[in-house]
Amino acid sequence: MLELSGDRRPDPDRYGAYPQPPLGAGHASAAYEPRPTSVRQARREVRRRLEEWGLGERGDLVETAELLVSELATNALLHSATPFRLTVSAAHGVLRCEVTDGGPRAPRVLGAGRPPTVESGRGMFLVEALARRWGCHREGPGKTVWFELGTCACDGCGRRQP
């Protein structure tokens, strides 16, 4: 891990009438070298931040976020072989996780029905299945792949919208 930012929670007075902040609100970013240990560090960073922001009690949220960040970080490591940045933000009932790397190729969702001998290619299928929304956009020569999960416990929060 190279650097961290975003240690402070947002000022609750700035949110006025919005329902969720400051509980479950925050923003953090960390940069990682292209090493296998970086995937584990990114997972730990997500868990640490969610606990710090008061979202740690939602075990399903933490586990899903860790799994999907692990998939995006692994893709960055395998397909771009460049340093990557994890950005995590939570506010107003939405957790957004982004992984930015120097690789030009956008990810593809490959079906779960792939032959059992094929070891890779299912990561984006998991993101597609578990995230509320996800996407990819170009960042100069590289890209940012992101997903969103719902952070509140209300019915339907975090589920894929039709």
Side-chain angles (χ1 to χ4, degrees):
M1 189 160 47
L2 299 176
E3 65 183 79
L4 294 176
S5 67
D7 288 328
R8 295 184 8 227
R9 290 187 185 183
D11 179 5
D13 295 331
R14 293 179 54 198
Y15 286 99
Y18 291 110
Q20 185 166 343
L23 177 63
H27 179 85
S29 184
Y32 300 91
E33 289 294 328
R35 293 190 291 257
T37 56
S38 295
V39 174
R40 182 177 63 240
Q41 291 171 339
R43 272 196 316 265
R44 286 183 183 160
E45 178 67 10
V46 168
R47 175 172 290 276
R48 184 173 78 79
R49 292 301 178 161
L50 293 180
E51 288 173 353
E52 178 182 297
W53 298 337
L55 296 167
E57 295 87 37
R58 293 267 331 270
D60 58 331
L61 172 68
V62 174
E63 291 169 5
T64 301
E66 282 182 312
L67 173 64
L68 299 185
V69 162
S70 179
E71 294 299 337
L72 296 188
T74 299
N75 281 352
L77 182 67
L78 293 176
H79 301 294
S80 78
T82 65
F84 65 92
R85 175 169 294 281
L86 168 66
T87 303
V88 183
S89 59
H92 311 297
V94 176
L95 170 69
R96 183 176 174 111
C97 298
E98 303 177 347
V99 173
T100 302
D101 65 50
R105 277 188 32 212
R108 294 182 321 164
V109 177
L110 302 176
R114 297 190 69 194
T117 56
V118 177
E119 292 183 17
S120 66
R122 293 189 180 98
M124 293 310 298
F125 176 80
L126 289 173
V127 173
E128 172 79 17
L130 298 175
R132 182 178 193 172
R133 297 183 330 139
W134 75 275
C136 177
H137 60 272
R138 298 270 179 220
E139 293 281 329
K143 67 185 170 302
T144 296
V145 183
W146 57 268
F147 67 84
E148 292 178 350
L149 299 171
T151 63
C152 66
C154 65
D155 188 34
C157 184
R159 293 196 184 126
R160 177 168 300 289
Q161 303 300 308

